[in-house]
Amino acid sequence: MDRRRFLAGTATLAAVGVAGPFAGVARAGSSGEIRPGGGYGPLVPVPDERDGTVRLHLPEGFRYRSFNPAGEAFTDGTATPGRHDGMAAFRGPRGTAILVRNHEVNGPVGAFGDPARAYDPAAGGGTATLQVTRDGRVLRSGPSLTGTQMNCSGGPMPWGAWVTCEETVNGPDVGNDFTGQDNTKLTQKHGYIFEVPLDGTPSGPIRSAGRFAHESAAFDPLTGAIYLTEDNFGFASGFYRYLPPKNPMRAGRILDGGRLQMLAVRGEPGKNLSLGQPAGASYRVTWVDIDDPDPAFTGTPSNDTAIQAVGNQGRAKGAALFSRLEGAIHHHGTIYFVSTQGGATAPGDTPPSGFGKGRGQVWAYESWSNRLKLVYESPGAVTLDLPDNVTTSPRGTLVLCEDGGGDNYLRGLTRRGEIFDFSRLVPVAGDSGAEFAGSTFGPGGHTLYVNVQSSQGVSFAIWGPWHRGGF
């Protein structure tokens, strides 16, 4: 048992309580303790079936193969970019999976793939689409959307598409971002969501869904809304919904020209939900309209000014404040989303930089009851360290990808309130910031596909005795 696992077993659960699929969490840790169980046993080093190198620590009985690393050629002959990030798996022919994967590349570094097909030939981010087997063998692969920037996460759509999100507002009309790279070299505005169909050509940006630091997208079939998270690292973030002019299930795609709204707590304008929350926190919510979701900037404002322009409109009307909203997923009428730095600073922890001083919160918004509820708040870095991407397992357990500065884990949070380690990433040489991202179960639940976001990015297929634990 490593130090992290030992300390996690003695840590305290700061806030729990949500109805619906996670009703059991409300009963977990009545005296504040972590519920044991749910996991698969101790993690051990496991060699990669691609080349025998140990890249992951997994429970006994699990196997994996890495595939399509940065720099390798796609099957169409073009080069694979790095920074593998958000991803979704769709059912493919003959038991295969179709993966649509983001590449979170920043700066005017040039588009990968064919520049003539790029949204912005100067921008190096976008998506790749791959057909893979259950054990991670690539049958075909290639670029699907290119010329975008900072494609962080997104979300699968039930009509057969992936929505990819740009986590930036870069463009020739705003000042350079924190990297200092020259925005005047860009030819298009960025900060939008794009729909990437499995069997067609991506369309342009959906501008009415806002120009801000988009992170994830989750579709609610009950209302036809697209729920959107914002990861505005240095400033307050918001939780949004985009209401298209026609239900996408009828239109077959997301149409531009709809309404963008931002969540507010009813009766508590400007509620700061990034702070530590009481156990069982639950709020009735309302939604405020964003009057100008795609603002036109003049005079080249600073990037810090531009990146807050949409959110400030909502906050002026009383929208709630969150810290770094990242992963989001729809499951059984509920949108689960992650606040990476939400919560209180635990004793012994150093507050992270940026807006928000905790180690992570998991929230649930019920569209059918119009209520926001806290699922989990990290009691400290040893238990859960800056959760980022999120998905659900076939049993409804949440799969959390960590974004911490030390050991990086894939963790599970079961419906009974059990939190457990599933995988530890072996540190990537030369990239201390490498992290898990883009976890998604393939068709039938046989394989968990997941990425490592790094300049040396790579994807993994993991399989084994899922029945033995919480996934």
Side-chain angles (χ1 to χ4, degrees), residues 250-264:
R250 295 195 300 271
R253 61 189 181 96
I254 303 171
L255 299 177
D256 209 343
R259 275 195 303 159
L260 181 67
Q261 298 180 319
M262 202 168 173
L263 179 142

Side-chain angles (χ1 to χ4, degrees), residues 110-441:
F112 66 97
D114 182 358
R117 301 178 61 187
Y119 166 70
D120 182 343
T127 66
T129 299
L130 306 89
Q131 182 185 5
V132 299
T133 64
R134 299 198 305 176
D135 62 349
R137 300 177 192 273
V138 179
L139 303 179
R140 63 180 179 90
S141 59
S144 44
L145 171 70
T146 63
T148 52
Q149 269 202 343
M150 293 289 286
N151 297 74
C152 200
S153 191
M157 300 294 121
W159 54 89
W162 164 254
V163 168
T164 183
C165 300
E166 292 186 304
E167 189 192 7
T168 184
V169 291
N170 281 341
D173 59 335
V174 301
N176 300 340
D177 67 11
F178 64 99
T179 66
Q181 298 183 74
D182 188 357
N183 274 354
T184 64
K185 295 181 179 180
L186 298 172
T187 66
Q188 299 287 343
K189 299 191 301 181
H190 296 271
Y192 303 108
I193 67 172
F194 294 75
E195 185 172 343
V196 183
L198 298 184
D199 57 358
T201 302
S203 56
I206 302 169
R207 299 182 187 276
S208 296
R211 186 186 183 191
F212 57 87
H214 285 278
E215 175 77 23
S216 290
F219 176 70
D220 177 26
L222 179 67
T223 62
I226 317 295
Y227 290 88
L228 303 166
T229 60
E230 178 183 29
D231 183 8
N232 200 342
F233 181 85
F235 309 98
S237 296
F239 185 57
Y240 300 79
R241 69 180 182 187
Y242 175 61
L243 305 174
K246 185 176 182 179
N247 190 312
M249 293 296 287
R250 295 195 300 271
R253 61 189 181 96
I254 303 171
L255 299 177
D256 209 343
R259 275 195 303 159
L260 181 67
Q261 298 180 319
M262 202 168 173
L263 179 142
V265 174
R266 189 179 296 275
E268 298 185 69
K271 179 73 173 179
N272 189 347
L273 297 175
S274 75
L275 305 176
Q277 297 292 306
S282 176
Y283 301 98
R284 294 177 62 213
V285 307
T286 187
W287 296 87
V288 299
D289 286 333
I290 302 298
D291 297 323
D292 185 10
D294 184 21
F297 299 120
T298 58
T300 316
S302 71
N303 209 277
D304 284 354
T305 296
I307 209 165
Q308 298 179 78
V310 169
N312 281 345
Q313 295 178 53
R315 285 183 284 274
K317 295 182 177 183
L321 282 65
F322 293 91
S323 167
R324 298 193 59 199
L325 295 188
E326 299 211 49
I329 193 76
H330 173 269
H331 184 73
H332 291 181
T334 300
I335 308 295
Y336 296 97
F337 63 96
V338 170
S339 172
T340 295
Q341 292 180 194
T345 304
D349 271 356
T350 301
S353 60
F355 188 90
K357 302 306 177 185
R359 289 289 162 173
Q361 298 165 323
V362 182
W363 291 93
Y365 171 68
E366 298 170 346
S367 62
W368 50 273
S369 69
N370 212 29
R371 294 196 75 92
L372 177 70
K373 301 180 180 182
L374 185 71
V375 171
Y376 185 81
E377 183 171 296
S378 174
V382 295
T383 303
L384 181 63
D385 193 15
L386 307 184
D388 189 332
N389 284 185
V390 62
T391 192
T392 54
S393 76
R395 298 187 197 178
T397 297
L398 294 181
V399 184
L400 301 170
C401 298
E402 283 191 336
D403 187 11
D407 287 343
N408 200 266
Y409 283 78
L410 275 178
R411 303 178 62 84
L413 178 62
T414 74
R415 295 189 298 172
R416 297 176 57 192
E418 301 159 340
I419 190 164
F420 60 90
D421 294 334
F422 174 71
S423 181
R424 183 174 75 85
L425 176 66
V426 173
V428 176
D431 191 351
S432 60
E435 65 189 61
F436 282 118
S439 60
T440 179
F441 275 92

